[in-house]
Amino acid sequence: MVRPGLLKRRDFAIDVVREYNEPRVLDIGGGSGRVGELALEAGAREYVNADIAQEMLDLSKQRLARFGDKVKLVHGDFRTAPLEGRFDVVLALGFFDYQSDAHVFVRRIAELCGRSATPAKPASPSGGIASDAAGTAVASFPRWNWLKGPVRKLRYEVINNCPIFDYTERELRFLFGGVGFSHVLIKQGRSGFLVRADR
């Protein structure tokens, strides 16, 4: 069974991809390529999955084989991975849960996010300003809640020795606004935030 929150963030991201005409899409920690498959079906002319886990990239390669040279898989740390050019859409879904230095990653997203020579479509169903945007970042961030928070901390940090991080809306506005995104839309869900940041 797929959690509703995962479907919401996936759908939110794909709506943004659809706003651009044949965008270049970068997916940070794109894993097995599930979102990439939908992005390519939604019209992406190129999909780049940058992931630190080779096993996930192997799964992505299998899943996305039918798209041929529209797919590029990059193994390595996103902060230093060799990524060329600008991307119309940069995705980071489920990525920031485990990052202690979010500001470093958001700065790198800002460096790579920009118009790649494809104009945006005029419609903007996900609530942003894509017709004026010179690139859009879509990211998900967990937030603390008293129902799930303690169980989540116990499961990840105590049992699995995997630190996790929570964010506030104020922090997110500062993170994205501070690196040059001119419009930041934040949607709050039961256990997290969806951020759409336009250049």
Side-chain angles (χ1 to χ4, degrees):
M1 185 171 144
V2 179
R3 293 179 292 162
L6 296 177
L7 296 177
K8 284 182 185 176
R9 70 188 189 193
R10 179 201 69 192
D11 293 345
F12 185 73
I14 298 306
D15 284 345
V16 170
V17 170
R18 285 191 182 107
E19 291 175 20
Y20 286 85
N21 292 314
E22 299 183 336
R24 286 188 81 212
V25 177
L26 170 62
D27 194 356
I28 304 161
S32 66
R34 288 182 185 273
V35 173
E37 185 172 30
L38 296 173
L40 288 157
E41 289 172 351
R45 80 171 186 273
E46 182 182 9
Y47 169 78
V48 177
N49 181 354
D51 203 301
I52 203 160
Q54 185 60 53
E55 324 63 74
M56 290 289 106
L57 291 175
D58 292 343
L59 292 172
S60 186
K61 182 178 181 179
Q62 291 173 10
R63 176 184 301 280
L64 304 176
R66 66 185 167 111
F67 296 102
D69 62 0
K70 288 184 171 186
V71 176
K72 183 176 178 186
L73 305 175
V74 178
H75 179 244
D77 186 327
F78 168 67
R79 292 169 290 190
T80 56
L83 298 165
E84 296 177 11
R86 308 271 280 180
F87 294 87
D88 301 290
V89 179
V90 178
L91 307 175
L93 306 176
F95 177 78
F96 285 100
D97 299 44
Y98 315 102
Q99 306 305 328
S100 62
D101 50 355
H103 65 285
V104 175
F105 290 96
V106 173
R107 188 178 324 116
R108 176 84 161 131
I109 287 171
E111 290 168 2
L112 294 167
C113 186
R115 190 154 298 163
S116 75
T118 58
K121 295 179 183 177
S124 182
S126 62
I129 54 167
S131 60
D132 296 328
T136 304
V138 177
S140 63
F141 292 84
R143 72 178 179 87
W144 177 262
N145 90 36
W146 286 102
L147 180 63
K148 293 182 180 179
V151 173
R152 193 168 174 263
K153 285 279 187 191
L154 175 67
R155 187 175 82 205
Y156 284 95
E157 294 191 357
V158 176
I159 296 173
N160 294 314
N161 194 29
C162 177
I164 54 173
F165 301 89
D166 294 304
Y167 301 84
T168 65
E169 182 173 340
R170 184 172 181 234
E171 287 175 301
L172 297 176
R173 289 199 182 282
F174 179 78
L175 274 173
F176 284 89
V179 294
F181 285 98
S182 60
H183 182 263
V184 180
L185 171 74
I186 299 176
K187 293 186 174 189
Q188 181 176 316
R190 286 191 325 211
S191 59
F193 299 101
L194 281 174
V195 175
R196 175 196 174 128
D198 292 300
R199 299 289 278 166

